[in-house]
DNA sequence: GTAAATACTTGATTTTCATCAATCTATAGG
DNA sequence: CCTATAGATTGATGAAAATCAAGTATTTAC
């Protein structure tokens, strides 16, 4: 814990703040509006804090913490989980580099999810008050955040559709394709990637037991649609996988 | 069709525009930020168009229509449905008076859902361009719309949790409690209400077949937790219903 | 390096809900 | 009014995934 503090301080206030800026971040095509002027990017950059490298299992924030920032994932991966009244966890989403998490907290000024690092991850913290002020001055930025939130809504609704209609196989296939295409956005391989989350997290997110997740992975592997080696996934037949995801068996 | 056009015109441009304003709308506690100044409410009111009374089954807009407005439901009820690649419908939500629909369209400037009236419904159309401009001038309004979208996100995530974890009984119970509490916000009875949607819509939304929906209704009725008379629901034992919704059987 | 704990896999059985089928009710149209 | 059609209920059967159980593999901790 103390260790972490030290790392944080070094990593963030010394190294990161100087190295990285929104202007030169290779993720800015994903997390920034393309039409932002250079000087506006600088203004945004000036409110962004890069002070939070997280170790695996560490919390970025916890449900019921006071909301004050949204966070862009810069490297690594995180999961958002909410706790039901009964006390059990529900994974509500996975967030990869370039994606923004924390927008659930705005509604009641309190986060409804906890966000936990799935691996060592660094994030950009964007204080929402400052972002709000800046959005009043930069219409494009206001529009961008409306769009970011809208995208979160449409994605959540796609998950609703998946859970409402899809078989276990379709759910797994859809998740794999989702991660694949999100890797594509970052110019990483769409056919070969490491799953950042455990089978348990996958099952929790998709409403399946861990046993079912495991069985589906082996089934998809036996059908020669994917190759599974621990957390490494190779998509062998993208087309058939898409059909399965869409429920066309 | 022609008929409808006529009704629209009469109803809206003559009657509605004069009778109703955001200032005197009894739903404004739900759909407006409380802290808005009187003159700001007037400015908002001036961009709101009340020209769309819908008959049951009519579309407010269709998926892939160009996005240009969000809509506040003033009376009645609507459902949002998306069409999967396979071509089948998925109900992604129900919207009651005071609630705002259409925010999914912002992400790509195209609606991802179609919205259909479940009964005769009137709506307030809020052109988004105008709303954006106004939001730049009225910080509270900007904040309000961020919050509205955030609430949509948290609600969708609750649905994800429900579908991921809940039994058929828990799903139905949760839907009933949701409608009950939303009626409460409008000072309507929380124990006695008319379901605006069909069993088919309920099943579609909750990922259940219509037969299962029907069976659960009879089961809950036999257990004396609710009384069902067609679409009229009376909640008899709210406490036990809550337990069922939370999975504590 | 070994022990302990955690993550994952595989198999046997049970449960829940979907599917198939029949019937009933209500609403609309001629 | 009576029929046609859509919506809803109820029952019998089947399938998919959960549960229960045992075991293997991989980290983590000492």
């Amino acid at each position: 814990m103390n260790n972490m503090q030290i790392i944080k301080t070094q990593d963030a206030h010394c190294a990161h703040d100087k190295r990285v800026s929104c202007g030169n971040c290779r993720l800015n095509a994903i997390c920034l509006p393309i039409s932002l002027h250079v000087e506006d990017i600088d203004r945004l950059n000036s409110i962004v804090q890069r002070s939070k490298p997280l170790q695996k299992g560490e919390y970025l924030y916890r449900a019921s913490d006071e909301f004050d920032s949204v966070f862009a994932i810069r490297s690594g991966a995180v999961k958002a989980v909410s706790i039901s009244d009964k006390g059990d966890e529900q994974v509500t989403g996975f967030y990869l580099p370039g994606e923004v998490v924390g927008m659930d907290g705005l509604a009641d000024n309190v986060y409804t999810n906890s966000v936990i690092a799935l691996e060592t991850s660094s994030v950009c913290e964007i204080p929402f008050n400052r972002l709000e002020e800046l959005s009043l001055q930069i219409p494009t930025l206001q529009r961008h955040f409306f769009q970011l939130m809208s995208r979160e809504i449409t994605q959540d609704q796609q998950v609703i559709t998946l859970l409402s209609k899809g078989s276990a196989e379709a759910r797994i296939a859809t998740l794999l394709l989702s991660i694949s295409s999100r890797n594509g956005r970052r110019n990483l391989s769409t056919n070969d990637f490491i799953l950042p989350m455990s089978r348990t997290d996958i099952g929790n997110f998709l409403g399946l037991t861990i046993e079912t997740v495991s069985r589906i992975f082996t089934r998809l592997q036996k059908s020669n649609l994917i190759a599974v080696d621990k957390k490494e996934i190779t998509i062998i037949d993208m087309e058939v996988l898409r059909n399965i995801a869409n429920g066309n068996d």
Side-chain angles (χ1 to χ4, degrees), chain A:
Chain A
M1 286 292 171
N2 268 335
N3 228 356
M4 189 198 81
Q5 276 302 338
I6 293 166
I7 291 170
K8 250 176 155 176
T9 311
Q10 288 183 333
D11 217 15
H13 297 138
C14 305
H16 282 185
D17 277 0
K18 304 215 167 123
R19 268 209 310 266
V20 185
S21 83
C22 294
N24 66 24
C25 178
R26 75 196 163 71
L27 292 169
N28 68 17
I30 302 175
C31 103
L32 281 184
I34 300 156
S35 45
L36 221 51
H37 292 301
V38 181
E39 59 267 33
D40 288 340
I41 290 180
D42 286 343
R43 292 168 77 191
L44 176 61
N45 187 51
S46 72
I47 70 167
V48 173
Q49 296 160 13
R50 293 178 193 79
S51 48
K52 295 225 175 189
L54 298 171
Q55 298 306 305
K56 177 174 178 171
E58 263 189 274
Y59 282 74
L60 177 57
Y61 55 78
R62 288 169 192 268
S64 82
D65 280 357
E66 195 194 340
F67 166 79
D68 40 35
S69 297
V70 298
F71 300 87
I73 310 300
R74 196 161 76 252
S75 70
V78 303
K79 64 174 174 181
V81 310
S82 70
I83 310 291
S84 78
D85 295 346
K86 219 172 71 185
D88 37 32
E89 292 195 351
Q90 168 68 35
V91 174
T92 55
F94 302 110
Y95 296 84
L96 303 184
E99 298 172 351
V100 176
V101 70
M103 294 177 294
D104 55 280
L106 251 128
D108 293 313
N109 234 52
V110 156
Y111 296 108
T112 58
N113 294 306
S114 300
V115 168
I116 305 169
L118 293 168
E119 58 191 59
T120 306
S121 304
S122 53
V123 303
C124 301
E125 175 169 0
I126 307 165
F128 198 75
N129 284 339
R130 315 276 313 267
L131 180 65
E132 258 184 318
E133 291 164 21
L134 209 53
S135 294
L136 293 172
Q137 294 155 31
I138 311 175
T140 318
L141 189 61
Q142 186 195 56
R143 158 66 59 129
H144 178 63
F145 267 84
F146 279 135
Q147 284 179 339
L148 264 188
M149 298 186 80
S150 176
R151 197 168 303 281
E152 178 89 42
I153 290 170
T154 59
Q155 281 165 359
D156 286 347
Q157 288 178 349
Q158 279 168 31
V159 174
I160 289 172
T161 300
L162 180 65
L163 295 179
S164 180
K165 290 257 192 321
S167 65
E169 233 174 12
R171 296 183 198 189
I172 302 274
T174 303
L175 179 66
L176 293 179
L177 291 170
S178 167
I179 292 175
S180 165
S181 81
R182 286 147 86 188
N183 283 337
R185 291 222 304 170
R186 291 186 283 146
N187 303 315
L188 301 178
S189 169
T190 55
N191 296 310
D192 203 272
F193 48 86
I194 308 286
L195 291 176
M197 71 293 283
S198 68
R199 304 284 192 268
T200 305
D201 286 334
I202 293 175
N204 187 313
F205 178 56
L206 295 178
L208 303 171
T209 59
I210 179 176
E211 293 97 325
T212 301
V213 174
S214 186
R215 276 185 254 270
I216 303 280
F217 272 130
T218 37
R219 202 191 299 170
L220 292 176
Q221 174 152 253
K222 277 179 183 154
S223 315
N224 254 311
L225 304 177
I226 63 174
V228 184
D229 176 20
K230 273 188 48 73
K231 303 207 157 186
E232 182 177 359
I233 301 288
T234 308
I235 295 181
I236 297 167
D237 193 333
M238 186 81 77
E239 218 29 55
V240 175
L241 205 59
R242 281 214 188 89
N243 283 332
I244 289 177
N246 291 330
N248 312 315
D249 24 302

